[in-house]
Amino acid sequence: MDATVQTIEAMERPPVTMASRLEGELLEVSMGPQHPSTHGVFRMNVALEGEIVRKLKPVFGYLHRNHEQIGEHTSYLGSMPYTDRLDYFCSMSNNWAYALSVEKLAGIEVPERAEYLRVILAELTRLQNHASLLGFLLSDMGAWGTPLMYAFREREKILDLFESLAGSRMMCDYMRFGGCRLDASEEWLARAKQIVDRFPEFLDEFEELILGNEIVIGRTQNVGKLSAELAISAGITGPMLRASGVNYDVRKVDGYGFYPRFKFRIPLGNHGDTYDRLMMRALEMRESVGILKQAFAQIQPGPIVNPKVKVRAFRPPAGEAYGRIEAPKGELGFYLISDGGPNPYRYRVRPPSFINLTVLEDLCLGHTVADVMVILGSVDIVMGEVDR
Amino acid sequence: MIGTGILKGMAVTARNFVGSYFDKERLITIQYPEERNPLPENYRNFPFLIYDGDDPHAGLRCVACKICEKECPPQCIYIVKSDDKKPDYMGKPQFYPKVFDIDISVCMSCQICVEVCPFEAIKMDKEFELSKRERFDALLSRKEELSKSNDYYHKIHPLEAAAVDKNLADAAAVAEAKKKAAAEAAAKAAAAKAAATKPPPAGDAASVPGKPTPSSQQ
């Protein structure tokens, strides 16, 4: 965090001098996570009165890569590896959302085993995303190192699973239209099952470590409250919406994939503050473990890809489709318009991080500078997805 | 009582710290250059070209059909087709790439080139220690650096390589059988033609079944 004397509306206001700052005028500070390894490259222009935030203007676009335009110029298959790079923590669920929208567009059936594999991988992604989010949030709060290391220890096990299945830890590029690229062996499933069975141990340990901690409670409770009305009108989705007490989960609403076959509950928050958002992730991980256990019990051998789908020269019929899934951060959707050609006419991503970030100012107003980082951490953003 | 949550958390930290001396599960750091995790079978990073036998030129499977160049999402492959032809693994004369460059500073290891290749000629490598001292040409892999033997492929991806070899052998056997059948049919047709003027049945002897030729795809 570095203090500058630059103003938000430098043209409209007289330059801030040292004297005027001492007299209690608003002080503008440029702050933000500026290292790509945590949330991404992001800047917030915060106007402060003393330590209290009076104005907050997010500045983003540092990671803009023209994702949507690239998607309109490469083939349908060629966009699949690019979707890994949207939210680089959850490449598997990004793949699924994109594959789902193309399958809707072209009317492709997915074999049963592939659907189970997709559910397993998406829930594993949710586990590792939420685990690393909790670590980052604590790290933003000043608990350097320890909680993040414990979270990353668990995440690493899941990433090793991804690596041995898809060939890459984070850029999995695993799903294909009408199925998945490679089949999971019995040993892989057994290993995944073992890791999932032991995951609640980590959750117990982590909850013991942080959730009862008085400092965490003091820093997060009643901080960054989001009302249900604002959350709905701003289009917030995912754990952040559910922390405000709105029962909306695309897994239940749409019932895409094989989610209707699994028994799971949707945890709901009561207050919509940062602590609820934090707890929401911890509770969702427990539900994900439950889904994974059911999926491991139900999965049967079979084909993993629809043989009718062509790898080369894939051309869906003209039309439009919107496929959406409950990604770990919220509703991730891909909107595609096809004119019958080899690449989409329009390719649009509905990124959950970006839309969840729009209420940042409302959450932060009236809180101190130190709370801004905690609130930002609890929104769970990845700039690769915000900027696209 | 205030403070119990903090003490509980500290107990967890202490358990992990002391546990790391006794429990292998809690000590997860690998001292990288000295210790290494074995790479999983499916690991991939950059593509390479396969040749059969000992000669990288004669055994190169690539026929410069340019499908991978066309399908590569970041467009990191550059191919120039040869003027002359050389026999491929089934003895059929085919073109070969005069130039085959992969810019590994652009490549994003998505393995789409492997999936679209109809000739099993390009596969993913496991080499990941690729730092170079120059910024420009050193990151552009030429055909000579990219060509690696089938034995190397068997070493890095044993299961996958065995499956590929079986596919190729099956295809060659089918092609051989088809050739024989076509030859017999031609002989029969010639005999029939001698008897009555009938056109002989046409059989494409050299096409690989199950692996469509590039011309039929475009």
Side-chain angles (χ1 to χ4, degrees):
Chain A
M1 187 171 78
D2 59 331
T4 66
V5 289
Q6 271 191 335
T7 54
I8 293 178
E9 293 100 6
M11 305 304 285
E12 298 163 20
R13 296 174 52 178
V16 181
T17 59
M18 186 56 83
S20 69
R21 275 197 280 167
L22 290 175
E23 280 156 20
E25 273 194 19
L26 291 186
L27 169 71
E28 265 130 53
V29 176
S30 256
M31 62 184 289
Q34 274 154 354
H35 194 278
S37 78
T38 53
H39 303 291
V41 189
F42 181 54
R43 186 158 75 99
M44 287 174 284
N45 257 337
V46 191
L48 301 174
E49 186 186 347
E51 253 198 291
I52 309 295
V53 177
R54 291 290 174 222
K55 208 174 191 179
L56 187 145
K57 190 180 158 208
V59 183
F60 40 70
Y62 297 105
L63 267 178
H64 182 65
R65 312 180 295 290
N66 227 338
H67 179 85
E68 291 179 3
Q69 198 77 47
I70 291 173
E72 285 160 22
H73 286 269
T74 47
S75 63
Y76 283 89
L77 177 62
S79 287
M80 187 61 91
Y82 283 116
T83 60
D84 293 338
R85 285 140 177 96
L86 278 175
D87 172 359
Y88 35 80
F89 279 96
C90 322
S91 61
M92 288 288 189
S93 32
N94 296 345
N95 284 176
W96 192 4
Y98 179 58
L100 195 72
S101 61
V102 174
E103 280 154 13
K104 248 186 179 173
L105 187 65
I108 299 168
E109 297 274 314
V110 182
E112 188 154 316
R113 186 177 172 86
E115 289 277 22
Y116 275 114
L117 279 175
R118 286 177 176 193
V119 169
I120 288 171
L121 292 164
E123 294 304 320
L124 283 173
T125 305
R126 198 182 310 279
L127 287 183
Q128 58 105 345
N129 176 74
H130 286 356
S132 46
L133 168 91
L134 290 182
F136 282 143
L137 184 54
L138 268 287
S139 165
D140 286 343
M141 236 178 264
W144 280 105
T146 309
L148 185 62
M149 274 299 129
Y150 293 174
F152 264 43
R153 187 180 65 200
E154 297 308 310
R155 174 171 177 258
E156 204 62 29
K157 290 178 190 165
I158 293 172
L159 290 186
D160 282 349
L161 280 178
F162 287 174
E163 190 181 26
S164 62
L165 181 63
S168 185
R169 292 164 73 245
M170 289 170 83
M171 303 298 140
C172 300
D173 183 26
Y174 178 67
M175 295 186 193
R176 287 290 177 265
F177 313 134
C180 301
R181 190 156 56 81
L182 294 157
D183 199 358
S185 62
E186 284 304 311
E187 297 87 66
W188 188 89
L189 285 173
R191 218 176 104 204
K193 191 166 181 298
Q194 194 193 357
I195 286 170
V196 169
D197 285 343
R198 295 203 55 187
F199 202 82
E201 288 174 28
F202 156 74
L203 285 176
D204 293 340
E205 188 183 89
F206 206 75
E207 284 180 9
E208 206 178 318
L209 177 69
I210 57 163
L211 294 179
N213 189 309
E214 284 83 359
I215 302 172
V216 173
I217 289 172
R219 288 292 304 276
T220 54
Q221 282 187 354
N222 280 324
V223 169
K225 273 199 173 184
L226 176 67
S227 67
E229 292 76 36
L230 178 62
I232 290 169
S233 62
I236 309 296
T237 46
M240 204 174 158
L241 176 70
R242 294 193 286 276
S244 298
V246 184
N247 189 357
Y248 183 81
D249 188 315
V250 182
R251 286 177 292 175
K252 289 278 190 197
V253 175
D254 273 16
Y256 64 93
F258 276 172
Y259 278 113
R261 295 194 185 184
F262 302 113
K263 276 203 186 71
F264 62 101
R265 292 175 304 166
I266 306 295
L268 288 180
N270 214 358
H271 309 92
D273 58 1
T274 306
Y275 189 76
D276 274 17
R277 289 200 278 279
L278 207 156
M279 275 308 286
M280 205 51 52
R281 268 79 186 214
L283 293 171
E284 269 192 14
M285 279 197 273
R286 290 197 186 271
E287 292 303 319
S288 286
V289 170
I291 295 175
L292 280 166
K293 280 183 179 165
Q294 294 171 48
F296 287 131
Q298 290 177 21
I299 189 166
Q300 297 295 329
I304 52 153
V305 74
N306 188 339
K308 283 183 203 151
V309 185
K310 281 199 285 183
V311 178
R312 271 168 283 163
F314 173 75
R315 284 162 189 259
E320 55 183 296
Y322 178 67
R324 59 177 191 169
I325 66 159
E326 181 74 25
K329 294 179 168 64
E331 177 191 327
L332 173 66
F334 283 84
Y335 178 57
L336 297 168
I337 301 180
S338 162
D339 55 1
N343 34 340
Y345 175 76
R346 179 79 179 99
Y347 171 98
R348 155 91 184 138
V349 189
R350 186 231 184 261
S353 312
F354 176 57
I355 292 166
N356 289 358
L357 197 60
T358 51
V359 290
L360 188 64
E361 184 173 15
D362 301 271
L363 297 182
C364 292
L365 289 184
H367 291 294
T368 58
V369 188
D371 290 335
V372 172
M373 280 327 290
V374 181
I375 293 167
L376 181 74
S378 74
V379 174
D380 193 7
I381 55 160
V382 161
M383 293 312 286
E385 192 176 57
V386 174
D387 292 337
R388 300 194 300 296
Chain B
M1 196 188 81
I2 203 153
T4 46
I6 295 175
L7 288 177
K8 260 189 193 167
M10 285 187 166
V12 171
T13 322
R15 203 157 61 230
N16 273 284
F17 171 65
V18 179
S20 68
Y21 283 94
F22 304 103
D23 189 0
K24 194 84 185 64
E25 282 256 307
R26 292 193 193 274
L27 190 66
I28 43 157
T29 315
I30 302 265
Q31 303 294 337
Y32 158 61
E34 291 86 27
E35 292 176 61
R36 278 151 198 261
N37 266 340
L39 288 174
E41 152 101 33
N42 284 345
Y43 178 78
R44 66 185 147 92
N45 66 352
F46 291 117
F48 70 100
L49 296 172
I50 294 191
Y51 63 85
D52 294 309
D54 299 324
D55 185 4
H57 174 73
L60 198 67
R61 286 184 191 165
C62 178
V63 300
C65 67
K66 297 196 176 191
I67 289 177
C68 53
E69 188 187 35
K70 207 179 96 212
E71 295 280 339
C72 174
Q75 303 280 302
C76 69
I77 304 178
Y78 175 69
I79 303 173
V80 175
K81 206 189 237 180
S82 64
D83 304 320
D84 54 331
K85 291 189 176 185
K86 71 171 181 63
D88 70 350
Y89 64 99
M90 285 192 300
K92 190 190 173 196
Q94 294 272 23
F95 290 108
Y96 61 91
K98 200 157 66 178
V99 178
F100 196 111
D101 294 344
I102 293 180
D103 190 345
I104 59 171
S105 62
V106 174
C107 175
M108 61 177 181
S109 317
C110 65
Q111 136 165 63
I112 282 178
C113 51
V114 178
E115 278 167 60
V116 297
C117 180
F119 300 97
E120 311 277 14
I122 189 165
K123 294 288 168 197
M124 295 310 267
D125 207 343
K126 279 187 175 182
E127 188 76 39
F128 60 89
E129 286 155 325
L130 292 161
S131 65
K132 299 277 162 66
R133 287 192 170 266
E134 290 117 63
R135 284 166 60 205
F136 300 104
D137 276 5
L139 285 169
L140 189 69
S141 297
R142 307 274 175 194
K143 189 174 99 180
E144 292 71 36
E145 302 153 42
L146 289 170
S147 303
K148 287 175 184 174
S149 69
N150 198 17
D151 295 338
Y152 175 78
Y153 180 44
H154 271 274
K155 210 172 75 193
I156 59 171
H157 295 293
L159 295 175
E160 199 187 295
V164 165
D165 274 9
K166 192 174 168 293
N167 279 348
L168 286 178
D170 288 356
V174 169
E176 192 64 34
K178 216 174 170 187
K179 211 181 206 172
K180 218 182 222 175
E184 273 170 21
K188 211 183 265 176
K193 202 179 181 184
T197 47
K198 247 203 268 173
D204 184 13
S207 73
V208 184
K211 287 275 174 187
T213 53
S215 56
S216 69
Q217 280 291 320
Q218 280 160 6

